[in-house]
Amino acid sequence: MITITIDCGASFIKGAVFENGIKKTVVSCESPSVHDNDPIFEIQLIKRLLQSVRQMVIDLAGDEKEANLCISNEMHGFILAHGDGEPYTDYISWQKEFGSILVSGKSSYQLLSEDSSLQRDILHTGMPLRAGLPSCNLLYLYRTGGLESEGKALHFYTLGSYILKALSGIEPMEHPTNAAATGLYDLKSEDWNWMYIEKVGARRIRFPKIGQESIDFTLNEIMIHALPALGDQQAALLGAGFSRDTDLSFNLGTGAQVSWLVKAAICTSEYQIRPYFYGKYLKTIPHIPSGRALNVFFRFVKSVLEQYNVAIGEPEIWSGILRAGETGNDTGMKVDLGFFENTISPNTVGSVSQIEEYAFSLGNLVCSVFKQMADNFINVAERLEPDSCKIERLVFSGGISRRIETIRKDIIAHYPQVSVLVASDETLLGLYEYSKRRIER
């Protein structure tokens, strides 16, 4: 029987077919873009995304009449829907930081962070408060009347769980990797934190069961055996071969994280703890400026070209930016990539400084951006595991680590004594590895 794996990322939806352990087909399409000003009660994004995933499953199945299905999704987002699966909100991404919006003089982020009775519960989620987490966004919706649905019960779904619900009509389980990413999970009880859920105004919302049981349904005359959706970070690291206690992971995509494996969920504000596989946890520092920060410079270059009526496709613009960065020089120019909430600095606006009179070229600017990104990743890695003697292998995953060799080389140069693994198609492979282990049980 074939296994279909689909990764719903922030930039692309990718799918693959595995048969007898061999990857046979890989397809991809662009993900619908998320913008802060998109109205969340006009259901647009999730319908386009669901249509793409549905068609991808059908196309990948081909003439097969039965298939295993395992999907992953970008984390920290959610959808509210009615019991029949009809969306009540559009997909609310982690990029929509409603928790930072002032309501009656205070943001939802401020209210939760100042509530002393919640600090232990927040610590046990494994991740600190952020304005774009479902916890903050749900409280914002509650405070602005967005959770009033004319008496109809609302159901909470992460992105992958909603896709499975919409495809099957069955309530899927929430995998711990996705549940923990909402900021409403309790690592100690391994269940939803119901008191915290009540505090964010979501007491009447129905949350899915947490577990790893599969569901069976028919799609276009294909019998599908679907496992709960995984968080994309954990799926990618599993596929990259991140499994040893001496591995240090650099997962660099639209967002970026540096991770280290630990055996116990020790909750602290110094880093995040997230469920993993093998009975282990990720000790991780996420939200490091990466692809999302690069998009700021991409949009600038694109706007300049448009001003001069130069018609160049987006892939060609990206190629030009990457080439410029590889050939530029380090002139001492400084770039602050804090265009949004991040773990490097308290800033939410970026800057470019220390520009020499004749050194402000695209190549030198992008070179400085790459250098700053590498320095950020190294800085975070040293915060996560300061003893470099414990590190025996660097595991790179994500499109940024593959496409921008300069960043990867700068990081490797900081750890000259270790071996290096650079993964490709790691998320799709991780989904297959997970599905294989669950199915073999």
Side-chain angles (χ1 to χ4, degrees):
M1 188 192 309
I2 65 168
T3 296
I4 296 172
T5 62
I6 294 179
D7 174 39
C8 302
S11 301
F12 293 95
I13 304 169
K14 297 180 181 179
V17 171
F18 290 83
E19 187 170 14
N20 299 322
I22 299 173
K23 183 173 61 182
K24 299 181 65 176
T25 308
V26 178
V27 297
S28 68
C29 64
E30 288 189 7
S31 298
S33 59
V34 174
H35 300 292
D36 287 342
N37 57 354
D38 290 339
I40 63 169
F41 293 106
E42 293 182 14
I43 315 303
Q44 302 289 334
L45 189 151
I46 189 59
K47 287 186 175 180
R48 295 197 301 272
L49 192 150
L50 183 59
Q51 183 179 12
S52 297
V53 172
R54 183 192 299 272
Q55 193 59 52
M56 190 173 283
V57 172
I58 293 170
D59 291 345
L60 287 171
D63 296 330
E64 299 288 337
K65 296 301 179 184
E66 189 173 14
N68 300 312
L69 174 65
C70 195
I71 68 178
S72 62
N73 55 264
E74 67 162 17
M75 300 188 291
H76 315 301
F78 70 99
I79 299 168
L80 297 178
H82 297 298
D84 60 1
E86 187 65 24
Y88 172 70
T89 67
D90 206 345
Y91 173 55
I92 302 175
S93 160
W94 55 275
Q95 298 184 50
K96 289 183 173 292
E97 297 178 345
F98 297 136
S100 64
I101 298 173
L102 296 181
V103 179
S104 300
K106 280 201 173 184
S107 70
S108 298
Y109 171 84
Q110 286 175 296
L111 286 179
L112 293 176
S113 62
E114 293 171 0
D115 188 337
S116 59
S117 68
L118 276 179
Q119 299 317 302
R120 181 176 176 275
D121 297 286
I122 293 171
L123 190 67
H124 284 182
T125 66
M127 60 181 63
L129 272 179
R130 290 180 61 82
L133 280 179
S135 51
C136 288
N137 283 338
L138 278 170
L139 182 56
Y140 167 79
L141 291 177
Y142 173 73
R143 298 172 69 203
T144 55
L147 299 185
E148 298 172 5
S149 59
E150 299 179 349
K152 295 181 180 179
L154 293 177
H155 294 245
F156 178 96
Y157 300 95
T158 60
L159 179 58
S161 294
Y162 179 75
I163 290 171
L164 291 176
K165 165 68 177 182
L167 292 178
S168 69
I170 301 170
E171 294 295 333
M173 283 192 167
E174 193 71 69
H175 193 273
T177 55
N178 262 325
T182 66
L184 296 168
Y185 180 77
D186 190 316
L187 287 164
K188 300 299 183 181
S189 67
E190 298 182 340
D191 196 1
W192 299 110
N193 186 320
W194 299 109
M195 190 188 79
Y196 192 14
I197 286 171
E198 184 167 352
K199 282 278 191 175
V200 302
R203 176 173 56 87
R204 295 182 180 178
I205 294 176
R206 298 179 182 177
F207 282 72
K209 291 182 179 179
I210 295 173
Q212 301 188 48
E213 293 180 13
S214 62
I215 58 173
D216 299 331
F217 61 95
T218 300
L219 177 67
N220 200 45
E221 300 184 350
I222 308 161
M223 174 54 68
I224 302 290
H225 310 285
L227 288 162
L230 301 181
D232 59 356
Q233 180 193 16
Q234 288 91 331
L237 299 194
L238 180 64
F242 184 59
S243 59
R244 308 174 187 173
D245 295 343
T246 54
D247 287 345
L248 181 63
S249 163
F250 291 89
N251 185 30
L252 316 180
T254 302
Q257 321 90 28
V258 180
S259 304
W260 183 257
L261 283 177
V262 292
K263 296 177 181 178
I266 301 173
C267 299
T268 172
S269 59
E270 296 299 314
Y271 48 79
Q272 295 187 18
I273 289 288
R274 299 180 178 183
Y276 192 56
F277 310 100
Y278 315 112
K280 297 180 181 179
Y281 296 85
L282 293 178
K283 176 182 175 182
T284 187
I285 297 180
H287 309 299
I288 311 165
S290 186
R292 185 182 174 192
L294 287 178
N295 280 330
V296 174
F297 297 96
F298 167 81
R299 289 191 291 269
F300 171 72
V301 173
K302 184 180 179 182
S303 71
V304 171
L305 294 171
E306 289 173 345
Q307 187 69 28
Y308 289 94
N309 297 316
V310 178
I312 299 179
E314 292 191 357
E316 288 73 23
I317 297 175
W318 273 116
S319 295
I321 291 172
L322 297 182
R323 282 197 308 273
E326 297 290 343
T327 57
N329 297 311
D330 180 7
T331 63
M333 192 185 309
K334 299 298 180 183
V335 182
D336 183 342
L337 301 171
F339 303 111
F340 41 82
E341 194 177 1
N342 66 93
T343 54
I344 300 300
S345 73
N347 300 335
T348 53
V349 292
S351 65
V352 181
S353 62
Q354 298 189 33
I355 304 169
E356 294 180 3
E357 182 179 4
Y358 294 102
F360 194 48
S361 67
L362 178 62
N364 292 347
L365 172 62
V366 178
C367 176
S368 299
V369 170
F370 289 171
K371 184 179 186 306
Q372 186 60 61
M373 290 176 71
D375 288 347
N376 288 346
F377 296 134
I378 293 168
N379 173 273
V380 166
E382 290 181 332
R383 285 162 52 190
L384 194 65
E385 181 45 66
D387 187 356
S388 62
C389 294
K390 293 181 179 179
I391 302 166
E392 295 181 0
R393 184 172 67 164
L394 305 182
V395 179
F396 287 94
S397 56
I400 297 297
S401 69
R402 286 190 297 274
R403 294 187 66 186
I404 307 180
E405 188 178 15
T406 299
I407 295 175
R408 196 173 69 242
K409 282 184 174 180
D410 283 352
I411 296 171
I412 293 171
H414 192 74
Y415 298 96
Q417 78 281 9
V418 305
S419 62
V420 176
L421 173 62
V422 182
S424 61
D425 281 338
E426 60 277 357
T427 308
L428 298 175
L429 180 59
L431 289 169
Y432 172 69
E433 287 296 325
Y434 174 73
S435 68
K436 183 174 66 175
R437 294 175 190 184
R438 298 299 305 173
I439 292 163
E440 287 174 351
R441 288 190 173 187

